[in-house]
Amino acid sequence: MKTYAEINDKIKSGRAVVLTAEEVSAMAKELSPGEIARKVDVVTTATFGAMCSSGAFLNFGHATPPIRMERIELNGVRVSGGLAAVDTYVGATDCNPERPAYGGGHIIEELVAGKEIQLEAWGKGTDCYPRTHIRARVSKETLNEAYLYNPRNAYQNYNVATNTTDQVKYTYMGTLLPKMRNAAYSTAGELSPLINDPECRAIGLGTRIFLCGTEGYVAWNGTQFHSTRPTNAHGVPTAPGRTIAVIGDLKRMSTDFLRGVYYEKYGTSLFVGIGVPIPLLDEEMAHRVSIRNEQIESTIIDYGDGNKVLGMTNHAALRSGEIIVNGQRVRTAPVSSLAKAREIAAILKSWIERGEFLLTEPVRPMPTGTSLRGLEEKEC
Amino acid sequence: MIKKLVLSFPVDATDRPLVYDLIRVHDVSINILKAEIQPGKTGSLLAEFEADEAKINEAIAYLNDNGVLVSPVSSKVSYDQERCIDCGNCVSACFSRALTIGAPDWKLRLDPERCIACKLCLKACPLKLFKIEFADM
Ligand code: SF4
Ligand code: SF4
């Protein structure tokens, strides 16, 4: 048994042993969880994928005379006017329907890159905010605050997508060819944060993480947090389960790990890079982070036909480039970046090794016993 | 006009007699120059379409609707490697396996020889990094 304080003392003195989740999974072929728990202090996990439930809070500062911005556009894209006078939230999928290929995700990336964004806003004019219209150019230099707040990221074990119809389907899981000519998966497998801590023993409110190139925090359980999915023999949920809400300073992020994207006929989104350190507090945690791709099973969903479940597969099979679905050989490809996820896990590892990044004990654990409600259409 | 086109389709792409429909319904005369069929995999057809431009375009739209991809011959595909994030979205769409990603480094690779200029990667890349130049339109 180790405590957070003991692990942090080791980090501060540069003695902490840190491995990436892939490295520890390889080590687990030779060593038992007990041996790993004694040898290793921290394991770094990571993912880099499109996460639509992302966005940024911005504060523009007050002009003279001041305006209460009610309708707000950034580079012609309407963003939230539902906050106080000069605050907004840019959602990754915000867009102008007439130019759907550009949206919130791109605006956030451009802000991170230091580019100027055209702001235009309108208000009705009030006694305290007399002005009704303003145009200005803003950038991360001019904004008071700019922080990313993503309500749902890093899904635990997202589905595998395929398409049995005879039409191409354009989805947020990419282009799905007719008659199961491909299947797409969007999970970093054994490197994925919530796969390595499947019950959220270490990941909780206040967990310090890598977020898009800088430090960030787990702010809350993510939306659609489902903690009662069935699990397989290795304790991993076999359908999309837990999620995290994350927060971090946009001004310090890097476009290496944050990208605005557009999916054909779907819309815009944001690629978000997340790295989560897992402390090996005991043998049980060492056992969890030893998980290997072949032990992670995911559900295959037909995105062409009403999200029908077509079967199960595992991540070793997905990475081999071919799986079998209903007796048919189906070509697989990822739609999130393993190369980038590895880069993130390696960077986080080096921050911890150098003593620059300490671990935080959750200030509140994640909820338990939660499931998902659908939307019932009641008459009003 | 005559247009030289590559048609790419899974062998079992459709139950409809496509070529028959093209000739009968769309009034296009077709001269098949080359057919390549790998059992259980994709097939491709190099063909000359002869009709007026509107009819050829209709025929192409009809083929696309039936999961057949149509592209002019002699094209050059490339992507912006600097901006690429190795996400794999283009690989997923590229059924001719010109684009691949995998162990050990999971970085995108392009084998232009295998490209059949279907243009699916142009739409599939969420960063819109692909360019295709046609030598023969
Ligand atoms: S155009 Fe793109 S998707 Fe089509 S074969 Fe060539 S590389 Fe592959
Ligand atoms: S889809 Fe675009 S960004 Fe993703 S691997 Fe292909 S070229 Fe790179």
Side-chain angles (χ1 to χ4, degrees):
Chain A
M1 292 282 278
K2 274 177 261 184
T3 64
Y4 279 86
E6 283 162 8
I7 293 176
N8 278 336
D9 282 342
K10 279 181 138 183
I11 295 174
K12 282 184 228 162
S13 62
R15 287 181 296 118
V17 177
V18 190
L19 293 186
T20 70
E22 289 186 323
E23 288 166 344
V24 83
S25 296
M27 182 185 253
K29 287 178 187 159
E30 320 270 305
L31 301 184
S32 71
E35 289 167 308
I36 291 172
R38 277 190 294 281
K39 248 190 164 85
V40 183
D41 300 303
V42 185
V43 168
T44 61
T45 64
T47 185
F48 185 67
M51 306 189 195
C52 296
S53 220
S54 299
F57 284 103
L58 311 176
N59 177 284
F60 300 114
H62 286 285
T64 358
I67 177 172
R68 194 177 94 81
M69 301 179 183
E70 288 164 358
R71 180 193 167 98
I72 308 173
E73 287 182 6
L74 293 173
N75 283 355
V77 173
R78 178 99 184 245
V79 294
S80 172
L83 296 170
V86 295
D87 284 329
T88 193
Y89 183 77
V90 190
T93 64
D94 277 333
C95 75
N96 173 348
E98 279 166 24
R99 293 188 299 134
Y102 179 85
H106 300 97
I107 292 167
I108 295 168
E109 176 185 334
E110 285 170 34
L111 281 171
V112 169
K115 291 190 186 147
E116 282 198 326
I117 304 283
Q118 170 90 42
L119 161 70
E120 187 163 12
W122 297 262
K124 62 180 171 293
T126 69
D127 288 348
C128 41
Y129 296 106
R131 196 159 175 176
T132 58
H133 180 242
I134 191 168
R135 277 174 87 135
R137 301 196 71 79
V138 299
S139 71
K140 69 176 173 188
E141 302 299 321
T142 74
L143 293 168
N144 284 315
E145 289 81 17
Y147 55 91
L148 203 67
Y149 180 91
N150 303 345
R152 182 173 70 255
N153 280 177
Y155 234 124
Q156 184 177 42
N157 203 352
Y158 209 73
N159 293 319
V160 179
T162 188
N163 167 23
T164 59
T165 71
D166 54 13
Q167 302 284 316
V168 178
K169 299 283 173 194
Y170 296 95
T171 74
Y172 61 84
M173 291 294 282
T175 305
L176 299 174
L177 301 172
K179 299 218 167 174
M180 296 202 289
R181 292 298 138 190
N182 63 344
Y185 61 98
S186 184
T187 293
E190 63 190 29
L191 192 55
S192 178
L194 289 166
I195 297 279
N196 282 282
D197 183 15
E199 284 159 17
C200 290
R201 279 191 61 205
I203 301 171
L205 264 62
T207 299
R208 183 180 291 130
I209 59 172
F210 172 110
L211 184 60
C212 305
T214 185
E215 70 166 38
Y217 293 87
V218 173
W220 205 253
N221 46 293
T223 53
Q224 296 180 19
F225 190 92
H226 193 319
S227 59
T228 50
R229 291 283 196 199
T231 53
N232 69 6
H234 306 282
V236 179
T238 51
R242 296 163 180 83
T243 64
I244 50 177
V246 299
I247 190 165
D249 187 357
L250 198 75
K251 295 188 180 187
R252 297 177 55 208
M253 291 181 183
S254 153
T255 56
D256 286 345
F257 305 104
L258 174 150
R259 287 294 181 82
V261 294
Y262 171 65
Y263 287 96
E264 193 73 19
K265 293 188 182 160
Y266 169 77
T268 62
S269 186
L270 191 70
F271 261 73
V272 178
I274 293 181
V276 180
I278 315 261
L280 296 199
L281 301 169
D282 53 30
E283 203 174 312
E284 158 70 11
M285 304 233 35
H287 171 67
R288 296 301 203 159
V289 297
S290 302
I291 191 89
R292 291 194 311 270
N293 286 324
E294 58 266 33
Q295 301 168 326
I296 304 164
E297 287 165 292
S298 297
T299 308
I300 307 165
I301 298 282
D302 185 355
Y303 274 55
D305 182 14
N307 291 350
K308 217 163 57 202
V309 174
L310 295 176
M312 303 294 298
T313 185
N314 71 61
H315 280 260
L318 285 166
R319 288 198 191 174
S320 77
E322 194 173 87
I323 56 172
I324 308 281
V325 187
N326 291 345
Q328 183 181 325
R329 288 161 58 172
V330 180
R331 189 175 55 85
T332 59
V335 289
S336 71
S337 178
L338 184 58
K340 282 276 186 191
R342 284 177 173 167
E343 208 180 316
I344 292 167
I347 292 171
L348 181 55
K349 174 178 162 171
S350 74
W351 286 355
I352 299 169
E353 282 173 339
R354 290 204 301 263
E356 295 164 6
F357 188 105
L358 297 179
L359 305 194
T360 48
E361 190 166 354
V363 293
R364 195 209 81 183
M366 289 299 187
T368 53
T370 63
S371 61
L372 278 189
R373 273 183 209 101
L375 177 60
E376 227 180 281
E377 293 171 68
K378 286 192 189 128
E379 272 184 52
C380 347
Chain B
M1 70 180 296
I2 297 181
K3 236 179 174 178
K4 203 190 262 185
L5 299 167
V6 183
L7 316 190
S8 327
F9 49 92
V11 181
D12 56 346
T14 176
D15 307 311
R16 271 155 288 203
L18 293 178
V19 174
Y20 176 87
D21 281 0
L22 288 181
I23 299 168
R24 287 287 149 158
V25 184
H26 296 275
D27 199 16
V28 178
S29 64
I30 294 177
N31 179 20
I32 295 173
L33 303 172
K34 193 171 146 200
E36 270 181 17
I37 295 170
Q38 296 166 277
K41 287 193 180 161
T42 60
S44 65
L45 212 61
L46 181 63
E48 281 175 345
F49 280 31
E50 189 170 2
D52 62 42
E53 190 165 16
K55 285 204 174 115
I56 291 182
N57 288 339
E58 264 174 43
I60 292 174
Y62 173 75
L63 288 167
N64 286 336
D65 284 348
N66 283 284
V68 178
L69 298 151
V70 182
S71 51
V73 287
S74 315
S75 61
K76 223 177 113 206
V77 65
S78 63
Y79 68 100
D80 181 348
Q81 292 191 27
E82 281 286 293
R83 292 206 19 98
C84 174
I85 54 174
D86 301 299
C87 66
N89 271 279
C90 56
V91 177
S92 184
C94 181
F95 63 91
S96 79
R97 299 181 193 236
L99 293 163
T100 50
I101 197 164
D105 62 357
W106 292 86
K107 299 241 186 214
L108 177 63
R109 288 203 167 66
L110 165 64
D111 176 0
E113 295 288 301
R114 305 193 71 153
C115 174
I116 50 146
C118 70
K119 297 199 259 185
L120 277 172
C121 53
L122 271 71
K123 286 184 176 180
C125 173
L127 281 94
K128 299 286 166 275
L129 302 182
F130 280 90
K131 271 206 316 247
I132 284 199
E133 292 155 36
F134 294 100
D136 179 7
M137 283 287 283

